[in-house]
Amino acid sequence: MSQARLRLLCRGVVQGVGFRPLVHRLARELNLVGELENVAGAVRLELQGERRSLERLVRRLPVALQPPGALEPLEPEWLPPLVPAPAGLCIAAAAGQPLGPGLFAPSLAADLAPCPCCLAELRDPANRRYRYPFISCSRCGPRYSIATAEPYARAHTTLAAFPLCPACQREFDDSADRRFHAETIGCPACGPQLRLLAPDGAAMAGDPLRAAAALLQRGGILALQGVGGFQLLVDATATEAVARLRQRKRRPHKPFALLLAELAPLENQVRITPEERRELEGPAAPIVLLRRTSTAHAAADVPTPLDAAAAAVPIAVGVAPGSPCLGVMLPASPLHLLLAQAVGRPLVATSGNPSGEPLCTDPDEALERLGGSADAFLVHNRPIARPLDDSLLQLIDGRPALLRRARGYAPVALPLPASPPPAPAVAGACAVLALGGDLKAAPALAAGGRVWVAPYQGDLASPRLRQRLQHGLEAQLERHLRETLSGGPWLVADGHPGYMGVRLAEGLATRHHLALLRVQHHQAHGLAVVAEHALSGPLLVWAADGLGYGPADAAAGGHQLWGGELLWLERAETPVAACGALAIERLACLRPWPLPGGERALVEPRRVALGLLAEAGWLEHPGAAACRAAFAPDELRLLRQALASGCNAPRTSALGRLFDGAASLLDLVQELSYEGQAGLLLEGLARQVAPPSDPLAPAVLEPLASAAPATPAAAGLPLGWLDWTPLLAALLEGVAAGRPPAQLAAAWHRQLCEALVALTLRAARERGCAQVALAGGCFQNALLLEGCIAGLRAAGLAVFWNGHVPCNDGGLALGQVWAALHAISITKTNGPAAPCASPPLG
């Protein structure tokens, strides 16, 4: 029998998923000896035995490793056998490399909800971990949120301060035990413990879990130290308690998420498809948007349950006012499960932070920042190393589409179909680090043929968040500069000269002497879809969002506030085309209109509506009464004068702002309390009407006039402007005639979809293209997205959209990375980047 030695560097999701115990078991079956070691970014296997057995191991590993583990293709290195051979099998971990506040941890697994085996033990009175809030194993529990260093090992987590008791140590050392080398192992005798604190920090008497549940049952507000940070909890069926939480958190309207121990209490209030149930019950445990069985109660004064079962647990109207969906999650940890079961009712579970601020992660910090919000604090002594918000998704076409990527998904590399070769311009860089946008910030790192998107960070308007993000990026850069010889990564940022993230990137580039690239906002949105699906040109892209900075092309109207753009991507006819370079051209956009008051219009739909009315010449239309009534007489007079003179009234083509204007005219909202509120309310109103597939629908949905076809002569673009005035005119006439607002909102969505599809089909015919990408935050609106998908597919086009990263600005960094790696037209500087002086479009 021929002896051999095998060296494998196993990459992928291989740390914190039981990979070394799996290899240990397989190696013992095959009579192999050697070492299994966690190292930075991988697991190193050095095994010796019969060549045939080693080859069998290489074949079996990719099949044997089950999700959430994932193994990249293996590259065996065959070496002469050691003499004498190693004695047995050894599991080890290399010396720790501190992660600090870094945003990326390439080899670590995501934090995972309790597995079935741990749940069974949690429920078993005979088990020594019965009702232990921190039960876990090698298949579940905290990972990224507690990691202090790489590679993954107990000593490199915040559990290092908890020595194992003899019983846990025996399980850890026993290769036949399911907790063999489970680094998060613990029990009531040696693991973390709970405490219940009053707002002044004093310990409260009694069993912490039972006392916390009793407080929630009385209508109190609880601050819970969760997996990746604090959450604020309240009884979701208690109207007054929900209202008090909104007042204390200063969050008057934005929907809250629900936490339930099981789905049964909601099954008569929401529709749950098998695909949605699979996501809810999966190890990531995200918030899933579930459509209400009846949306009529969403805007009513009191809930209207559909039957006696639903009446048993009516959700307070204030939980998600005006929303067509309820955001629902199942417990992400044993602590969440025990608390939800003890309360026995659905709970509101929202982020534990003052609105607009980053998550609280430390009990002392939470007492200071949330002391005026919570009536008690359920905390524990297992520190959180890095903040993690709850992930959020919806099902589109039966597939999950993430709207916020965080706990349960980060820090795992994206499952992209293909990785791009670096363009000549960036081939010498060891990595590309993209900062994304100011809203829903989530930087991305590309290195070694893989891409990691950091978990959702928040909005950079918060100085505290900017400081936290800067520290994380500095730590990442210092690590790359320390570990590589080829120089630091290239930085990529948005094209908007006023973005906080751009200023942050400029400072990083200056301090570390790095090149800084700038990528136009809507190109990045489209390229995020391209990256996720490994698309190549030719391709049409609808990039639709609330607003983004674009170059001022005088031929196209001169406006710089884009957001409703039809782009054309094709392989560039350049010397770098062999690297996959793409050229991007702007074909069409929505007809621009003014935003009176500039930035104030971004939070006041009434101003957007006023700009639309002025552009169309219908300021006195009787259907615009709600918009006019939203202003004081003097304010309205001054805004009309500003519109007439063009003073502080920049023009935009943003589809998201068009939704704002429609919401104002329907008097749904005149001043926003959160981003995207107008679009959500408009979608919620539209979903109160039967869909077109319903036989009653044609009589209800009298069509609004379709948007006028694009007119090249009016815009200087190949396909011109898409004129929204026919939709606006029909909406105004419907309001003036007293038609039900829900019918008008439904017709608005349907006709807008028809207009977008019609222009896309025209572009597809003229350019000979058969594939379309739908990108940007407007496509968070499932009614809009699904309507466009259906229309484009009916015409024979292949349609793509984001699923693994958000279509909003949370996925922007992936597109920025792709632009840099594919040598797409960008602005390059050393040190501080200059504003885009010339259009980066083809």
Side-chain angles (χ1 to χ4, degrees), residues 233-255:
L233 274 58
V234 75
D235 181 353
T237 70
T239 298
E240 291 183 3
V242 172
R244 189 164 57 253
L245 175 60
R246 287 201 175 278
Q247 185 271 328
R248 292 185 184 181
K249 190 173 166 66
R250 300 190 300 277
R251 181 170 162 172
H253 305 112
K254 190 174 182 180

Side-chain angles (χ1 to χ4, degrees), residues 16 21 60 84 112 128 189 248 266 308 328 354 446 476 512 641 650 804:
R60 290 178 64 181
L112 301 175
R128 68 189 187 91
R248 292 185 184 181
L266 282 186
V328 177
Q476 201 68 47
H512 295 280
Q641 291 174 358
H804 292 302

Side-chain angles (χ1 to χ4, degrees), residues 349-515:
T350 187
S351 56
N353 57 299
S355 288
E357 291 292 317
L359 278 173
C360 296
T361 56
D362 176 77
D364 290 338
E365 175 195 16
L367 287 166
E368 177 186 347
R369 294 174 58 202
L370 301 177
S373 300
D375 300 313
F377 293 74
L378 186 58
V379 304
H380 54 75
N381 56 346
R382 184 187 71 200
I384 296 170
R386 58 203 68 256
L388 270 179
D389 214 322
D390 296 314
S391 294
L392 172 67
L393 63 80
Q394 63 182 340
L395 272 288
I396 299 294
D397 196 39
R399 291 176 284 168
L402 281 166
L403 302 177
R404 183 169 66 220
R405 187 177 187 271
R407 177 190 51 75
Y409 298 90
V412 177
L414 291 176
L416 302 179
S419 297
V426 296
C430 64
V432 174
L433 180 60
L435 272 71
D438 275 16
L439 295 176
K440 303 174 177 64
L445 172 70
R450 294 186 290 172
V451 179
W452 294 268
V453 176
Y456 165 86
Q457 301 293 301
D459 296 343
L460 296 188
S462 163
R464 193 190 299 263
L465 180 59
R466 289 199 302 274
Q467 183 180 42
R468 180 181 286 181
L469 181 62
Q470 179 175 339
H471 288 164
L473 293 169
E474 291 277 9
Q476 201 68 47
L477 289 173
E478 288 171 5
R479 183 171 181 179
H480 272 284
L481 292 170
R482 182 176 67 249
E483 293 177 357
T484 65
L485 300 176
S486 56
W490 282 34
L491 298 175
V492 192
D494 192 85
H496 196 308
Y499 264 14
M500 296 290 186
V502 172
R503 296 174 191 171
L504 178 58
E506 291 173 348
L508 292 170
T510 298
R511 287 191 295 277
H512 295 280
H513 308 289
L514 301 174

Side-chain angles (χ1 to χ4, degrees), residues 5-78:
R5 182 160 54 104
L6 170 67
R7 180 177 295 159
L8 280 178
L9 200 60
C10 304
R11 299 187 184 275
V13 184
V14 291
Q15 295 188 18
V17 292
F19 181 65
R20 289 177 304 164
L22 169 67
V23 177
H24 188 281
R25 177 175 60 81
L26 295 176
R28 286 190 64 183
E29 291 177 5
L30 296 168
N31 296 316
L32 304 177
V33 296
E35 187 175 59
L36 325 172
E37 182 183 33
N38 277 351
V39 298
V43 173
R44 182 185 63 83
L45 307 182
E46 186 123 0
L47 296 170
Q48 185 165 318
E50 291 186 14
R51 172 79 182 228
R52 183 174 56 186
S53 297
L54 290 167
E55 290 172 345
R56 281 189 67 190
L57 178 77
V58 173
R59 290 194 301 270
R60 290 178 64 181
L61 277 180
V63 179
L65 181 61
Q66 298 299 305
L71 194 59
E72 294 184 2
L74 297 172
E75 297 180 1
E77 181 183 357
W78 296 100

Side-chain angles (χ1 to χ4, degrees), residues 750-816:
R750 185 159 59 87
Q751 293 299 319
L752 182 58
C753 290
E754 291 174 359
L756 296 174
V757 169
L759 184 56
T760 307
L761 295 182
R762 176 184 166 190
R765 287 193 299 269
E766 293 188 6
R767 298 287 175 126
C769 178
Q771 52 185 4
V772 182
L774 302 175
C778 283
F779 291 110
Q780 293 175 112
N781 182 325
L783 198 57
L784 176 70
L785 176 56
E786 290 171 340
C788 289
I789 291 170
L792 293 166
R793 280 182 175 168
L797 299 183
V799 191
F800 303 91
W801 60 93
N802 283 124
H804 292 302
V805 297
C807 63
N808 56 46
D809 284 7
L812 206 62
L814 175 60
Q816 293 171 350

Side-chain angles (χ1 to χ4, degrees), residues 504-803:
L504 178 58
E506 291 173 348
L508 292 170
T510 298
R511 287 191 295 277
H512 295 280
H513 308 289
L514 301 174
L516 174 59
L517 313 177
R518 301 281 290 275
V519 180
Q520 197 277 326
H521 190 87
H522 299 95
Q523 289 187 17
H525 270 313
L527 290 169
V529 182
V530 170
E532 183 171 327
H533 297 279
L535 303 175
S536 59
L539 173 73
L540 290 163
V541 176
W542 265 114
D545 61 5
L547 188 139
Y549 180 82
D553 185 353
H559 66 285
Q560 292 183 289
L561 305 180
W562 295 11
E565 318 302 314
L566 181 59
L567 307 178
W568 170 248
L569 279 69
E570 63 179 344
R571 194 167 295 279
E573 297 297 330
T574 68
V576 297
C579 295
L582 297 173
I584 304 180
E585 180 185 6
R586 188 185 186 203
L587 296 182
C589 69
L590 293 186
R591 174 181 172 176
W593 71 94
L595 295 176
E599 286 192 7
R600 286 192 63 180
L602 304 185
V603 294
E604 297 185 24
R606 58 182 185 165
R607 289 175 180 257
V608 179
L610 199 66
L612 291 165
L613 294 168
E615 179 72 15
W618 298 329
L619 283 167
E620 302 300 332
H621 196 288
C627 171
R628 292 193 298 269
F631 297 98
D634 288 347
E635 187 180 17
L636 183 59
R637 177 177 51 81
L638 290 174
L639 286 172
R640 284 186 169 191
Q641 291 174 358
L643 284 165
S645 64
C647 176
N648 193 24
R651 300 175 71 79
T652 185
S653 56
L655 181 59
R657 302 279 75 87
L658 191 65
F659 272 86
D660 285 359
S664 169
L665 294 170
L666 288 170
D667 206 18
L668 294 178
V669 62
Q670 302 296 349
E671 297 183 55
L672 303 179
S673 68
Y674 64 91
E675 189 235 346
Q677 182 181 6
L680 182 68
L681 293 176
L682 203 62
E683 181 188 0
L685 188 63
R687 286 197 182 274
Q688 295 181 21
V689 176
S693 59
D694 191 301
L696 298 177
V700 173
L701 295 178
E702 296 177 19
L704 295 175
S706 295
T711 52
L717 293 170
L719 295 181
W721 292 341
L722 183 61
D723 190 3
W724 40 260
T725 55
L727 274 77
L728 182 67
L731 182 63
L732 291 169
E733 291 297 329
V735 172
R739 287 181 60 192
Q743 294 180 13
L744 296 174
W748 170 274
H749 276 83
R750 185 159 59 87
Q751 293 299 319
L752 182 58
C753 290
E754 291 174 359
L756 296 174
V757 169
L759 184 56
T760 307
L761 295 182
R762 176 184 166 190
R765 287 193 299 269
E766 293 188 6
R767 298 287 175 126
C769 178
Q771 52 185 4
V772 182
L774 302 175
C778 283
F779 291 110
Q780 293 175 112
N781 182 325
L783 198 57
L784 176 70
L785 176 56
E786 290 171 340
C788 289
I789 291 170
L792 293 166
R793 280 182 175 168
L797 299 183
V799 191
F800 303 91
W801 60 93
N802 283 124

